[in-house]
Coordinates of all heavy atoms in Angstrom, one line a residue:
M1 N 7.7 40.4 20.6 CA 6.8 39.3 20.2 C 6.7 39.3 18.6 O 6.7 40.4 18.0 CB 5.4 39.5 20.8 CG 4.5 38.3 20.5 SD 3.1 38.6 21.5 CE 2.0 37.4 20.8
L2 N 6.8 38.1 18.1 CA 6.7 38.0 16.6 C 5.5 37.1 16.3 O 5.4 36.0 16.9 CB 8.0 37.4 16.1 CG 8.0 37.0 14.6 CD1 7.9 38.3 13.7 CD2 9.2 36.2 14.2
T3 N 4.6 37.5 15.4 CA 3.5 36.7 15.0 C 3.5 36.7 13.5 O 4.2 37.5 12.8 CB 2.1 37.2 15.5 OG1 1.9 38.6 15.0 CG2 2.1 37.2 17.0
W4 N 2.7 35.8 12.9 CA 2.7 35.7 11.4 C 1.4 35.1 11.0 O 0.6 34.5 11.8 CB 3.8 34.8 10.9 CG 3.9 33.5 11.6 CD1 3.2 32.4 11.4 CD2 4.8 33.2 12.7 NE1 3.5 31.4 12.3 CE2 4.5 31.9 13.1 CE3 5.8 33.9 13.4 CZ2 5.2 31.3 14.1 CZ3 6.5 33.3 14.4 CH2 6.2 32.0 14.7
K5 N 1.0 35.4 9.7 CA -0.1 34.8 9.1 C 0.1 34.6 7.7 O 0.9 35.3 7.0 CB -1.4 35.6 9.4 CG -1.5 36.9 8.6 CD -2.8 37.5 8.8 CE -3.0 38.7 7.9 NZ -4.3 39.4 7.9
K6 N -0.5 33.6 7.1 CA -0.4 33.3 5.7 C -1.5 33.9 5.0 O -2.7 33.9 5.4 CB -0.4 31.8 5.4 CG 0.9 31.1 5.8 CD 0.8 29.6 5.4 CE 2.1 28.9 5.7 NZ 2.1 27.5 5.2
N7 N -1.2 34.5 3.8 CA -2.3 35.1 2.9 C -1.9 34.6 1.5 O -1.0 35.1 0.9 CB -2.3 36.6 3.0 CG -3.4 37.2 2.2 OD1 -4.2 36.5 1.6 ND2 -3.4 38.5 2.2
N8 N -2.5 33.5 1.1 CA -2.2 32.8 -0.1 C -0.7 32.4 -0.1 O -0.3 31.6 0.7 CB -2.6 33.6 -1.3 CG -4.1 33.9 -1.4 OD1 -4.8 33.0 -1.2 ND2 -4.4 35.1 -1.7
T9 N 0.1 33.0 -1.0 CA 1.5 32.6 -1.1 C 2.4 33.6 -0.4 O 3.6 33.6 -0.6 CB 1.9 32.4 -2.5 OG1 1.7 33.7 -3.2 CG2 1.2 31.3 -3.2
T10 N 1.8 34.4 0.5 CA 2.6 35.4 1.2 C 2.5 35.1 2.7 O 1.4 34.8 3.2 CB 2.0 36.8 1.0 OG1 2.1 37.1 -0.4 CG2 2.8 37.9 1.8
L11 N 3.7 35.2 3.4 CA 3.7 35.1 4.8 C 4.0 36.5 5.4 O 5.0 37.1 5.0 CB 4.9 34.1 5.2 CG 5.0 33.9 6.7 CD1 3.8 33.1 7.2 CD2 6.3 33.2 7.0
I12 N 3.1 36.9 6.2 CA 3.1 38.3 6.7 C 3.7 38.2 8.2 O 3.0 37.6 9.0 CB 1.8 39.0 6.7 CG1 1.2 39.0 5.3 CG2 1.8 40.4 7.3 CD1 -0.2 39.3 5.2
L13 N 4.8 38.9 8.4 CA 5.4 38.9 9.8 C 4.9 40.2 10.5 O 4.9 41.2 9.9 CB 6.9 38.8 9.7 CG 7.5 37.6 9.0 CD1 9.0 37.6 9.1 CD2 7.0 36.3 9.7
K14 N 4.7 40.1 11.8 CA 4.2 41.2 12.5 C 4.9 41.3 13.9 O 5.1 40.2 14.5 CB 2.7 41.2 12.7 CG 2.1 42.4 13.5 CD 0.6 42.2 13.6 CE 0.1 43.4 14.4 NZ -1.4 43.3 14.6
G15 N 5.3 42.4 14.3 CA 5.9 42.6 15.6 C 7.4 42.9 15.5 O 7.8 43.7 14.8
I16 N 8.2 42.1 16.3 CA 9.6 42.3 16.4 C 10.4 41.1 15.9 O 10.1 40.0 16.3 CB 10.0 42.6 17.8 CG1 9.4 43.9 18.3 CG2 11.6 42.6 18.0 CD1 9.6 44.2 19.8
L17 N 11.3 41.3 15.0 CA 12.1 40.1 14.5 C 13.5 40.4 14.9 O 14.2 41.2 14.4 CB 12.0 40.1 12.9 CG 12.8 38.9 12.3 CD1 12.4 37.6 12.8 CD2 12.7 39.0 10.8
N18 N 13.9 39.7 16.0 CA 15.3 39.8 16.5 C 15.8 38.5 17.0 O 15.1 37.5 16.8 CB 15.3 40.9 17.6 CG 14.6 40.5 18.8 OD1 14.2 39.4 19.0 ND2 14.3 41.5 19.7
R19 N 16.9 38.5 17.6 CA 17.6 37.3 18.0 C 16.7 36.5 18.9 O 16.7 35.2 18.9 CB 18.9 37.7 18.8 CG 19.7 36.6 19.3 CD 20.9 37.1 20.0 NE 20.6 38.0 21.1 CZ 20.6 37.7 22.4 NH1 20.7 36.4 22.7 NH2 20.3 38.6 23.3
D20 N 15.9 37.1 19.8 CA 15.1 36.4 20.7 C 13.8 35.9 20.1 O 13.3 34.8 20.5 CB 14.7 37.3 21.9 CG 16.0 37.8 22.7 OD1 16.9 36.9 22.9 OD2 16.0 38.9 23.1
T21 N 13.2 36.6 19.2 CA 11.9 36.2 18.7 C 12.0 35.3 17.5 O 11.0 34.6 17.2 CB 11.1 37.4 18.2 OG1 11.7 38.1 17.2 CG2 10.8 38.3 19.4
L22 N 13.1 35.2 16.8 CA 13.2 34.4 15.6 C 13.4 32.9 15.9 O 13.1 32.1 15.0 CB 14.3 34.9 14.6 CG 15.8 34.8 15.0 CD1 16.3 33.4 14.8 CD2 16.6 35.8 14.3
I23 N 13.7 32.6 17.1 CA 14.0 31.2 17.5 C 12.7 30.3 17.2 O 12.8 29.3 16.6 CB 14.5 31.1 18.9 CG1 15.9 31.7 19.0 CG2 14.6 29.6 19.4 CD1 16.4 31.9 20.4
F24 N 11.6 30.8 17.7 CA 10.3 30.1 17.6 C 9.9 29.9 16.1 O 9.5 28.9 15.7 CB 9.2 30.7 18.4 CG 8.0 29.9 18.5 CD1 7.9 28.7 19.1 CD2 6.8 30.4 17.9 CE1 6.7 28.0 19.1 CE2 5.6 29.7 17.9 CZ 5.6 28.5 18.6
F25 N 10.1 31.0 15.4 CA 9.8 31.0 13.9 C 10.7 30.0 13.2 O 10.3 29.2 12.4 CB 10.0 32.4 13.3 CG 9.9 32.4 11.8 CD1 8.6 32.7 11.3 CD2 10.9 32.2 11.0 CE1 8.4 32.7 9.9 CE2 10.8 32.2 9.6 CZ 9.5 32.5 9.1
W26 N 12.0 30.0 13.6 CA 13.0 29.2 12.9 C 12.7 27.7 13.1 O 12.8 26.9 12.1 CB 14.4 29.5 13.4 CG 15.4 28.8 12.5 CD1 16.2 27.7 12.8 CD2 15.8 29.2 11.2 NE1 17.0 27.4 11.8 CE2 16.8 28.3 10.8 CE3 15.4 30.3 10.3 CZ2 17.4 28.4 9.5 CZ3 16.0 30.3 9.1 CH2 17.0 29.4 8.7
K27 N 12.2 27.3 14.2 CA 11.8 25.9 14.5 C 10.7 25.4 13.6 O 10.6 24.3 13.3 CB 11.5 25.7 16.0 CG 12.7 25.9 16.9 CD 12.3 25.7 18.3 CE 13.5 25.9 19.2 NZ 13.1 25.8 20.7
Q28 N 9.8 26.4 13.2 CA 8.7 26.0 12.4 C 8.8 26.4 10.9 O 7.9 26.3 10.2 CB 7.5 26.8 13.0 CG 7.2 26.4 14.4 CD 6.0 27.3 14.9 OE1 4.9 27.1 14.3 NE2 6.2 28.1 15.8
K29 N 10.0 26.9 10.5 CA 10.1 27.5 9.2 C 9.7 26.6 8.0 O 9.1 27.1 7.1 CB 11.5 28.0 9.0 CG 12.6 26.9 8.8 CD 14.0 27.5 8.7 CE 15.0 26.4 8.6 NZ 14.9 25.2 9.4
N30 N 10.0 25.3 8.1 CA 9.7 24.4 7.0 C 8.2 24.4 6.7 O 7.8 24.4 5.6 CB 10.3 23.0 7.2 CG 11.8 23.1 7.2 OD1 12.4 23.9 6.5 ND2 12.4 22.2 7.9
E31 N 7.5 24.2 7.8 CA 6.0 24.2 7.6 C 5.4 25.5 7.3 O 4.6 25.7 6.4 CB 5.4 23.7 8.9 CG 3.9 23.5 8.9 CD 3.4 22.5 7.8 OE1 4.1 21.5 7.5 OE2 2.3 22.8 7.2
L32 N 5.9 26.6 7.9 CA 5.4 28.0 7.6 C 5.7 28.4 6.2 O 4.9 29.1 5.6 CB 6.1 29.0 8.6 CG 5.6 28.9 10.0 CD1 6.5 29.8 10.9 CD2 4.2 29.2 10.1
L33 N 6.8 28.0 5.6 CA 7.2 28.5 4.3 C 6.8 27.6 3.2 O 7.0 27.9 2.0 CB 8.7 28.7 4.3 CG 9.2 29.7 5.2 CD1 10.7 29.8 5.3 CD2 8.7 31.1 4.8
K34 N 6.0 26.6 3.5 CA 5.5 25.7 2.5 C 4.5 26.5 1.6 O 3.6 27.1 2.1 CB 4.8 24.5 3.1 CG 4.5 23.4 2.2 CD 3.9 22.2 3.1 CE 3.9 21.0 2.3 NZ 3.4 19.9 3.0
D35 N 4.8 26.5 0.3 CA 4.0 27.2 -0.7 C 4.0 28.7 -0.6 O 3.2 29.4 -1.1 CB 2.5 26.7 -0.7 CG 2.3 25.2 -0.9 OD1 3.1 24.7 -1.7 OD2 1.5 24.6 -0.2
I36 N 5.0 29.2 0.1 CA 5.2 30.7 0.2 C 6.3 31.1 -0.8 O 7.3 30.5 -0.9 CB 5.7 31.0 1.7 CG1 4.6 30.7 2.7 CG2 6.1 32.5 1.8 CD1 3.3 31.5 2.5
N37 N 6.0 32.3 -1.5 CA 7.0 32.8 -2.3 C 7.3 34.3 -2.0 O 8.2 34.9 -2.6 CB 6.6 32.7 -3.8 CG 5.3 33.5 -4.2 OD1 4.9 34.4 -3.5 ND2 4.7 33.1 -5.2
T38 N 6.6 34.8 -1.0 CA 6.8 36.2 -0.5 C 6.7 36.3 1.0 O 5.8 35.7 1.6 CB 5.8 37.2 -1.1 OG1 5.9 37.1 -2.6 CG2 6.1 38.6 -0.7
I39 N 7.7 37.0 1.6 CA 7.6 37.3 3.0 C 7.4 38.8 3.1 O 8.2 39.6 2.6 CB 8.9 36.9 3.8 CG1 9.0 35.4 3.7 CG2 8.8 37.3 5.2 CD1 10.2 34.8 4.4
N40 N 6.3 39.2 3.7 CA 6.0 40.6 3.9 C 6.4 41.1 5.2 O 6.0 40.5 6.2 CB 4.5 40.9 3.6 CG 4.2 42.3 3.7 OD1 4.3 43.0 4.7 ND2 3.8 42.9 2.5
L41 N 7.2 42.2 5.3 CA 7.8 42.7 6.5 C 7.1 44.0 7.0 O 7.5 44.6 7.9 CB 9.3 42.9 6.4 CG 10.1 41.8 5.9 CD1 11.6 42.2 5.7 CD2 10.0 40.5 6.8
S42 N 6.1 44.5 6.2 CA 5.6 45.8 6.5 C 5.0 46.0 7.9 O 4.8 47.1 8.3 CB 4.6 46.2 5.4 OG 3.5 45.3 5.5
L43 N 4.6 44.9 8.5 CA 4.0 45.0 9.9 C 5.0 44.8 11.0 O 4.6 44.8 12.2 CB 2.8 44.1 10.0 CG 1.7 44.3 9.1 CD1 0.6 43.3 9.3 CD2 1.1 45.7 9.2
L44 N 6.3 44.7 10.6 CA 7.3 44.6 11.7 C 7.6 46.0 12.2 O 7.8 46.9 11.5 CB 8.6 44.0 11.1 CG 8.6 42.5 10.8 CD1 10.0 42.1 10.2 CD2 8.3 41.7 12.0
S45 N 7.7 46.1 13.5 CA 8.0 47.4 14.1 C 9.5 47.5 14.4 O 10.1 48.6 14.5 CB 7.3 47.5 15.5 OG 7.6 46.5 16.4
Y46 N 10.2 46.3 14.3 CA 11.7 46.3 14.6 C 12.3 45.1 14.0 O 11.7 44.0 14.1 CB 12.0 46.4 16.1 CG 13.5 46.4 16.4 CD1 14.3 47.5 16.2 CD2 14.0 45.2 16.8 CE1 15.6 47.5 16.5 CE2 15.4 45.2 17.1 CZ 16.2 46.3 17.0 OH 17.5 46.3 17.3
I47 N 13.5 45.2 13.4 CA 14.2 44.1 12.9 C 15.7 44.4 13.2 O 16.1 45.5 12.9 CB 13.9 43.7 11.4 CG1 14.7 42.5 11.0 CG2 14.2 44.9 10.5 CD1 14.3 41.9 9.7
D48 N 16.4 43.4 13.7 CA 17.9 43.7 14.0 C 18.7 42.8 13.0 O 18.2 42.2 12.1 CB 18.2 43.4 15.4 CG 18.1 41.9 15.8 OD1 17.8 41.0 15.0 OD2 18.4 41.6 17.0
S49 N 20.0 42.8 13.2 CA 20.9 42.1 12.3 C 20.7 40.6 12.3 O 20.8 39.9 11.3 CB 22.4 42.5 12.5 OG 22.7 42.1 13.9
A50 N 20.2 40.1 13.4 CA 19.9 38.6 13.5 C 18.7 38.3 12.6 O 18.6 37.3 12.0 CB 19.7 38.2 14.9
G51 N 17.7 39.2 12.7 CA 16.5 39.0 11.8 C 16.9 39.1 10.3 O 16.4 38.3 9.5
L52 N 17.8 40.1 10.0 CA 18.3 40.2 8.6 C 19.0 38.9 8.2 O 18.8 38.4 7.1 CB 19.1 41.4 8.5 CG 19.8 41.6 7.1 CD1 18.8 41.6 6.0 CD2 20.7 42.8 7.1
A53 N 19.8 38.4 9.1 CA 20.6 37.2 8.8 C 19.7 36.0 8.6 O 19.9 35.2 7.7 CB 21.5 36.8 10.0
M54 N 18.6 35.9 9.3 CA 17.6 34.8 9.1 C 17.0 35.0 7.7 O 16.9 34.0 7.0 CB 16.5 34.9 10.1 CG 15.5 33.8 10.0 SD 14.0 34.0 10.9 CE 13.1 35.1 9.8
L55 N 16.6 36.2 7.3 CA 16.0 36.4 6.0 C 17.1 36.0 4.9 O 16.7 35.4 3.9 CB 15.6 37.8 5.8 CG 14.4 38.3 6.7 CD1 14.2 39.8 6.6 CD2 13.2 37.5 6.4
I56 N 18.3 36.4 5.1 CA 19.4 36.0 4.1 C 19.5 34.5 4.0 O 19.6 34.0 2.9 CB 20.7 36.7 4.5 CG1 20.6 38.2 4.4 CG2 21.9 36.1 3.7 CD1 21.8 38.9 5.1
R57 N 19.5 33.9 5.1 CA 19.6 32.4 5.1 C 18.4 31.8 4.4 O 18.6 30.8 3.6 CB 19.7 31.9 6.5 CG 20.1 30.5 6.6 CD 20.8 30.1 7.9 NE 21.1 28.7 7.9 CZ 21.4 28.0 8.9 NH1 21.4 28.6 10.1 NH2 21.7 26.8 8.8
L58 N 17.2 32.3 4.6 CA 16.0 31.7 4.0 C 16.1 31.9 2.4 O 15.9 31.0 1.7 CB 14.8 32.4 4.5 CG 14.3 32.0 5.9 CD1 13.1 32.8 6.3 CD2 14.1 30.5 6.0
K59 N 16.5 33.1 2.0 CA 16.7 33.4 0.6 C 17.7 32.6 -0.1 O 17.7 32.2 -1.2 CB 17.0 34.9 0.3 CG 15.7 35.8 0.4 CD 16.0 37.2 0.0 CE 16.4 37.3 -1.5 NZ 15.3 37.5 -2.4
A60 N 18.8 32.2 0.7 CA 19.9 31.4 0.1 C 19.6 29.9 0.1 O 20.3 29.2 -0.6 CB 21.1 31.7 1.0
K61 N 18.6 29.5 0.8 CA 18.2 28.0 0.8 C 17.9 27.6 -0.7 O 17.3 28.3 -1.4 CB 17.0 27.7 1.7 CG 17.3 27.8 3.1 CD 16.1 27.5 4.0 CE 15.7 26.1 3.9 NZ 16.5 25.0 4.6
K62 N 18.4 26.4 -1.0 CA 18.3 25.9 -2.3 C 16.9 26.0 -2.9 O 16.6 26.4 -4.0 CB 18.8 24.5 -2.4 CG 19.0 23.9 -3.8 CD 19.7 22.6 -3.7 CE 18.7 21.5 -3.7 NZ 19.3 20.1 -3.8
E63 N 15.9 25.6 -2.1 CA 14.5 25.6 -2.6 C 13.9 26.9 -2.8 O 12.9 27.1 -3.5 CB 13.6 24.7 -1.7 CG 13.4 25.2 -0.3 CD 14.4 24.6 0.7 OE1 15.5 24.2 0.4 OE2 14.0 24.5 1.9
F64 N 14.5 28.0 -2.2 CA 14.0 29.3 -2.3 C 14.9 30.2 -3.2 O 14.5 31.3 -3.6 CB 13.9 30.0 -1.0 CG 12.8 29.4 -0.1 CD1 13.2 29.0 1.2 CD2 11.5 29.3 -0.5 CE1 12.3 28.4 2.0 CE2 10.6 28.7 0.3 CZ 11.0 28.3 1.6
K65 N 16.1 29.7 -3.6 CA 17.0 30.6 -4.3 C 16.3 31.2 -5.5 O 15.8 30.6 -6.4 CB 18.2 29.7 -4.8 CG 19.4 30.5 -5.2 CD 20.6 29.9 -4.7 CE 21.8 30.8 -5.0 NZ 22.5 31.0 -3.8
N66 N 16.4 32.5 -5.6 CA 15.8 33.4 -6.6 C 14.3 33.2 -6.7 O 13.7 33.7 -7.7 CB 16.5 33.0 -8.0 CG 17.9 33.3 -8.0 OD1 18.4 34.3 -7.4 ND2 18.7 32.4 -8.6
K67 N 13.7 32.7 -5.7 CA 12.2 32.5 -5.8 C 11.5 33.2 -4.6 O 10.3 33.4 -4.7 CB 11.8 31.0 -5.8 CG 12.3 30.2 -6.9 CD 12.0 28.8 -6.8 CE 12.7 28.0 -7.9 NZ 12.6 26.6 -7.7
L68 N 12.2 33.4 -3.5 CA 11.6 34.0 -2.4 C 11.8 35.6 -2.4 O 12.9 36.1 -2.4 CB 12.2 33.5 -1.1 CG 11.6 33.9 0.2 CD1 10.2 33.4 0.3 CD2 12.4 33.4 1.4
L69 N 10.7 36.3 -2.4 CA 10.7 37.7 -2.4 C 10.5 38.3 -1.0 O 9.7 37.7 -0.3 CB 9.6 38.3 -3.3 CG 9.6 37.8 -4.8 CD1 8.3 38.3 -5.5 CD2 10.8 38.3 -5.5
I70 N 11.2 39.3 -0.7 CA 11.0 40.0 0.6 C 10.4 41.3 0.2 O 10.9 42.1 -0.5 CB 12.4 40.3 1.2 CG1 13.2 38.9 1.4 CG2 12.2 40.9 2.6 CD1 12.5 37.9 2.3
D71 N 9.2 41.6 0.8 CA 8.4 42.7 0.5 C 8.2 43.5 1.8 O 8.3 43.0 2.9 CB 7.0 42.3 0.0 CG 6.2 43.4 -0.6 OD1 6.8 44.4 -1.1 OD2 5.0 43.3 -0.6
G72 N 7.9 44.8 1.6 CA 7.6 45.7 2.8 C 8.8 46.0 3.6 O 8.7 46.1 4.8
I73 N 9.9 46.2 3.0 CA 11.2 46.6 3.6 C 11.1 48.0 4.1 O 10.9 48.9 3.4 CB 12.4 46.3 2.7 CG1 12.5 44.9 2.4 CG2 13.7 46.9 3.3 CD1 13.6 44.5 1.3
S74 N 11.3 48.2 5.4 CA 11.3 49.5 6.0 C 12.6 50.3 5.7 O 13.6 49.7 5.3 CB 11.2 49.4 7.6 OG 12.4 48.9 8.1
E75 N 12.6 51.6 5.9 CA 13.7 52.4 5.7 C 14.9 52.0 6.6 O 16.0 51.9 6.1 CB 13.4 53.9 6.0 CG 12.6 54.5 4.9 CD 12.5 56.0 5.2 OE1 13.4 56.7 5.6 OE2 11.4 56.5 4.9
N76 N 14.6 51.6 7.8 CA 15.7 51.1 8.8 C 16.3 49.9 8.3 O 17.5 49.7 8.3 CB 15.1 51.0 10.2 CG 14.7 52.3 10.8 OD1 15.2 53.3 10.5 ND2 13.8 52.2 11.8
L77 N 15.5 48.9 7.8 CA 16.0 47.7 7.3 C 16.8 47.9 6.0 O 17.9 47.3 5.8 CB 14.9 46.6 7.1 CG 15.4 45.3 6.5 CD1 16.4 44.7 7.4 CD2 14.2 44.4 6.3
E78 N 16.3 48.8 5.2 CA 17.0 49.1 3.9 C 18.4 49.7 4.3 O 19.4 49.4 3.6 CB 16.2 50.1 3.1 CG 16.8 50.3 1.7 CD 15.9 51.0 0.8 OE1 14.6 51.0 1.0 OE2 16.4 51.7 -0.1
T79 N 18.5 50.5 5.3 CA 19.8 51.1 5.7 C 20.7 49.9 6.1 O 21.9 49.9 5.8 CB 19.6 52.1 6.9 OG1 18.8 53.1 6.4 CG2 20.9 52.6 7.4
L80 N 20.2 49.0 6.9 CA 21.0 47.9 7.4 C 21.4 47.0 6.2 O 22.6 46.6 6.1 CB 20.1 47.0 8.3 CG 20.8 46.0 9.2 CD1 21.9 46.7 10.1 CD2 19.8 45.3 10.1
I81 N 20.6 46.8 5.2 CA 20.9 46.1 4.0 C 22.0 46.8 3.2 O 23.0 46.2 2.8 CB 19.7 45.9 3.1 CG1 18.7 44.9 3.8 CG2 20.0 45.4 1.7 CD1 17.3 44.8 3.1
R82 N 22.0 48.1 3.1 CA 23.0 48.9 2.4 C 24.3 48.8 3.2 O 25.4 48.8 2.6 CB 22.5 50.3 2.2 CG 21.4 50.4 1.2 CD 21.1 51.8 0.8 NE 19.8 51.9 0.1 CZ 19.6 51.5 -1.2 NH1 20.5 50.9 -1.8 NH2 18.4 51.6 -1.7
L83 N 24.3 48.9 4.5 CA 25.5 48.8 5.3 C 26.2 47.5 5.1 O 27.5 47.5 5.1 CB 25.2 49.0 6.8 CG 24.8 50.4 7.3 CD1 24.3 50.4 8.7 CD2 26.0 51.3 7.1
Y84 N 25.5 46.5 4.9 CA 26.1 45.1 4.7 C 26.3 44.8 3.2 O 26.7 43.8 2.8 CB 25.3 44.0 5.3 CG 25.3 44.0 6.8 CD1 24.2 44.3 7.6 CD2 26.5 43.6 7.5 CE1 24.3 44.3 9.0 CE2 26.6 43.6 8.9 CZ 25.5 43.9 9.6 OH 25.5 43.9 11.0
K85 N 26.0 45.8 2.4 CA 26.1 45.7 0.9 C 25.4 44.5 0.3 O 25.9 43.7 -0.5 CB 27.6 45.7 0.5 CG 28.4 46.9 1.0 CD 29.8 46.9 0.5 CE 30.6 48.0 1.0 NZ 30.2 49.3 1.0
L86 N 24.1 44.4 0.7 CA 23.3 43.3 0.3 C 22.1 43.7 -0.6 O 21.2 42.9 -0.8 CB 22.7 42.6 1.6 CG 23.7 41.9 2.5 CD1 23.0 41.6 3.8 CD2 24.2 40.7 1.8
E87 N 22.2 44.9 -1.2 CA 21.2 45.4 -2.0 C 20.8 44.4 -3.2 O 19.6 44.2 -3.4 CB 21.5 46.7 -2.7 CG 21.9 47.8 -1.7 CD 23.3 47.9 -1.4 OE1 24.1 47.0 -1.6 OE2 23.7 48.9 -0.8
N88 N 21.8 43.9 -3.8 CA 21.5 43.0 -5.0 C 20.9 41.7 -4.6 O 20.2 41.1 -5.4 CB 22.8 42.7 -5.7 CG 23.4 43.9 -6.5 OD1 22.6 44.9 -6.8 ND2 24.7 44.0 -6.7
F89 N 21.1 41.3 -3.4 CA 20.6 40.0 -2.9 C 19.2 40.2 -2.3 O 18.3 39.4 -2.5 CB 21.5 39.4 -1.9 CG 21.1 38.0 -1.4 CD1 21.3 37.0 -2.3 CD2 20.7 37.8 -0.1 CE1 20.9 35.7 -1.9 CE2 20.3 36.6 0.3 CZ 20.4 35.5 -0.6
M90 N 19.0 41.3 -1.5 CA 17.7 41.4 -0.8 C 16.7 42.3 -1.4 O 15.5 42.2 -1.2 CB 18.1 42.0 0.6 CG 18.8 41.1 1.5 SD 17.9 39.6 2.0 CE 16.6 40.3 2.9
I91 N 17.1 43.3 -2.2 CA 16.2 44.3 -2.7 C 15.9 44.0 -4.2 O 16.7 43.7 -5.0 CB 16.7 45.7 -2.5 CG1 16.8 46.0 -1.1 CG2 15.7 46.7 -3.1 CD1 17.4 47.3 -0.7

């Protein structure tokens, strides 16, 4: 299960971010990300490569390019980022 809440300009994700849970988030992304400049992942218990791909796609969107920060990256996610050689883009 994936839940989220807004705290000023930060969107805090909680739970599991994977292929199954990101679908509902993705359908609402435009409204959820309005006025957001940081996505905090510190409350995620699990994220897979599909979740990472979603974050990459969000960061690459024209309106967020170089403006969307990803905060609260776990050691496991950092390992995944390094495996895909995305350190300069994500961290």
Side-chain angles (χ1 to χ4, degrees):
M1 183 170 170
L2 176 67
T3 60
W4 50 80
K5 72 175 186 176
K6 286 186 176 184
N7 185 3
N8 296 318
T9 59
T10 299
L11 183 67
I12 303 165
L13 301 182
K14 181 179 180 182
I16 296 171
L17 180 58
N18 65 14
R19 178 180 61 95
D20 298 322
T21 62
L22 68 82
I23 295 167
F24 187 64
F25 177 88
W26 191 255
K27 289 178 181 178
Q28 301 178 63
K29 71 182 179 317
N30 291 333
E31 183 61 33
L32 289 172
L33 296 173
K34 195 174 194 177
D35 301 322
I36 293 295
N37 63 22
T38 303
I39 297 178
N40 184 292
L41 309 176
S42 63
L43 297 179
L44 288 178
S45 59
Y46 178 78
I47 183 169
D48 68 2
S49 58
L52 175 58
M54 182 194 82
L55 295 171
I56 292 166
R57 191 156 180 198
L58 290 175
K59 280 189 64 89
K61 286 181 68 76
K62 189 171 97 175
E63 63 266 30
F64 294 123
K65 196 142 188 126
N66 299 320
K67 297 177 189 170
L68 185 65
L69 301 173
I70 305 296
D71 191 27
I73 295 174
S74 68
E75 285 184 39
N76 291 338
L77 179 56
E78 190 170 333
T79 298
L80 198 57
I81 290 168
R82 291 187 194 290
L83 285 172
Y84 288 112
K85 299 185 186 318
L86 295 167
E87 301 93 344
N88 292 334
F89 186 71
M90 293 295 294
I91 299 175

